[in-house]
Amino acid sequence: MPEGHSVHRITRQFARNFVGRPVQLSSPQGRFAAGAAQLSGHVMTDARAVGKQMFLEFDNGLWLRVHLGMYGAWDFAGDIIMDATIASSNGRMGQTNQRGTDLAPVLDSAGENSMHSIGAPRRTRVRMAEQEKEIDQLDTFPPEPVGQVRVRLLTDTVSADLRGPTACEVLDPAQVDAVLARLGPDPQLDDSPEAEQRFVDTVRKKPTRIGLLLMDQSVVSGIGNVYRAELLFRAKINPHAPGKSLTEESLRALWRDWAHLLAIGVNTGQMMTMDDLTGEDYRLAMKNRADRHWVYKREGLPCRICGTHITLEEMGARKLYYCPSCQA
């Protein structure tokens, strides 16, 4: 499932390529025909992500809410203003099981693809979900829909096709506010002392294990299986520790580390959690998952710190990785 950084990056593509333009919406699959009709022809006025959910606003006051879930993906096609971290690796990003970039390139002042001149669109097709991948160059536009496309968003130059989402619905502002009220803070949107305090207070009230609380989107937005494992290892916190047993200091540090790692993920497209690497070590880590995580997917291998074998177990119906010594 895409974690918070992926959804923020997808939203960034909508902000660059769709916001401010009239958009035609259709449902090639047919399941979202009524919703598409409510939004089609209107100008997209905002694109934002909160945790694992994204919200696209239109000038008639309605919003499109999308949650990709386990199987959802967006395909962008046309004259796309691409993110430099996609273009640098020929589109192959690899947050989990794909290869990534050699080095994270620097975005220009507008955050656009400086490799093809500032703001220059590139006619191509890009898939964005848990991984990001440039599929191929585009000969005709718009391309024929591929697979079960729930909704297509189309401008004169760019299209975006959504397949396999957990949620795809049209909401009015009050309904959007109700969804947002159920979500925990997202440090990409609000890294204020108040957001930090909300996280700390929520966790300290609960007897639930911290390994479950970090995956609860009402507690904190955007954390998935990879970031859960890595954050708890970096903090040397036992994933079985009840939330209310943790000190305020440790939870503040956990929140700040989440803000730090999330920013790296948004800017590079990689869940880089060994962030003190330099030189060749950094280059290898940007290319291969096995070289950029402390415990995730390292079950049975020696801990990089103490040498104890990394443990794998199930928690909350998801795989949990941790060091039984460092995180005792």
Side-chain angles (χ1 to χ4, degrees):
M1 179 183 294
E3 302 196 27
H5 74 295
S6 295
V7 183
H8 279 286
R9 286 172 62 80
I10 293 169
T11 306
R12 179 186 286 179
Q13 291 300 98
F14 275 103
R16 288 178 181 154
N17 292 283
F18 285 86
V19 168
R21 303 180 186 183
V23 184
Q24 302 300 318
L25 281 83
S26 61
S27 180
Q29 177 194 60
R31 291 180 57 187
F32 192 65
Q38 290 181 271
L39 302 173
S40 189
H42 290 277
V43 174
M44 187 181 294
T45 54
D46 195 8
R48 66 180 69 172
V50 183
K52 300 180 182 181
Q53 305 196 41
M54 64 178 297
F55 302 83
L56 305 176
E57 183 187 34
F58 293 83
D59 65 359
N60 61 351
L62 297 178
W63 294 74
L64 176 64
R65 179 181 81 93
V66 173
H67 191 314
L68 291 178
M70 293 293 292
Y71 305 108
W74 285 99
D75 282 358
F76 293 85
D79 295 328
I80 303 170
I81 301 174
M82 291 178 63
D83 189 284
T85 53
I86 300 173
S88 69
S89 60
N90 204 23
R92 181 67 62 87
M93 298 305 298
Q95 284 85 345
T96 54
N97 62 349
Q98 300 288 331
R99 293 187 64 199
T101 55
D102 283 343
L103 289 172
V106 177
L107 302 181
D108 61 61
S109 60
E112 295 172 347
N113 178 10
S114 58
M115 298 185 67
H116 297 270
S117 80
I118 294 175
R122 180 176 178 182
R123 175 154 285 192
T124 187
R125 293 198 300 173
V126 175
R127 179 163 300 158
M128 299 187 75
E130 186 178 12
Q131 295 91 34
E132 299 169 15
K133 180 180 181 181
E134 186 174 357
I135 303 170
D136 53 36
Q137 297 299 302
L138 193 65
D139 296 324
T140 60
F141 180 83
E144 287 296 316
V146 176
Q148 296 295 307
V149 176
R150 183 76 56 86
V151 62
R152 165 170 282 192
L153 286 75
L154 178 68
T155 72
D156 291 341
T157 57
V158 181
S159 67
D161 288 353
L162 173 66
R163 297 191 317 278
T166 293
C168 176
E169 61 179 348
V170 177
L171 302 179
D172 62 31
Q175 291 170 317
V176 171
D177 288 343
V179 173
L180 296 179
R182 296 194 295 268
L183 298 176
D186 179 337
Q188 269 289 299
L189 299 178
D190 184 2
D191 195 18
S192 67
E194 292 76 18
E196 178 180 309
Q197 192 64 51
R198 178 183 168 194
F199 168 73
V200 171
D201 291 345
T202 300
V203 172
R204 295 202 74 200
K205 292 176 183 177
K206 295 183 178 292
T208 308
R209 292 172 290 175
I210 186 62
L212 292 174
L213 290 174
L214 290 186
M215 299 279 278
D216 184 341
Q217 300 301 297
S218 70
V219 174
V220 57
S221 287
I223 296 176
N225 215 28
V226 179
Y227 280 126
R228 168 177 72 173
E230 296 294 296
L231 282 164
L232 289 175
F233 177 82
R234 287 164 61 96
K236 300 300 181 283
I237 294 175
N238 189 319
H240 295 280
K244 65 180 184 180
S245 73
L246 300 175
T247 66
E248 183 167 328
E249 180 182 23
S250 66
L251 290 174
R252 291 192 185 283
L254 193 61
W255 167 263
R256 292 166 188 164
D257 200 34
W258 169 225
H260 170 66
L261 293 182
L262 179 57
I264 292 173
V266 171
N267 290 331
T268 69
Q270 307 285 3
M271 285 190 274
M272 171 67 79
T273 55
M274 298 181 67
D275 59 328
D276 58 347
L277 302 177
T278 58
E280 184 62 21
D281 289 337
Y282 179 77
R283 183 183 296 273
L284 289 173
M286 289 298 290
K287 293 177 68 174
N288 300 295
R289 182 197 66 207
D291 296 306
R292 62 175 172 261
H293 295 322
W294 291 101
V295 293
Y296 182 74
K297 289 286 188 180
R298 300 195 71 248
E299 69 272 20
L301 296 176
C303 173
R304 299 183 189 274
I305 300 298
C306 72
T308 303
H309 287 179
I310 300 301
T311 293
L312 168 64
E313 62 183 65
E314 185 175 292
M315 178 181 283
R318 300 294 300 276
K319 293 180 178 179
L320 171 71
Y321 304 86
Y322 69 101
C323 173
S325 178
C326 291
Q327 297 172 256

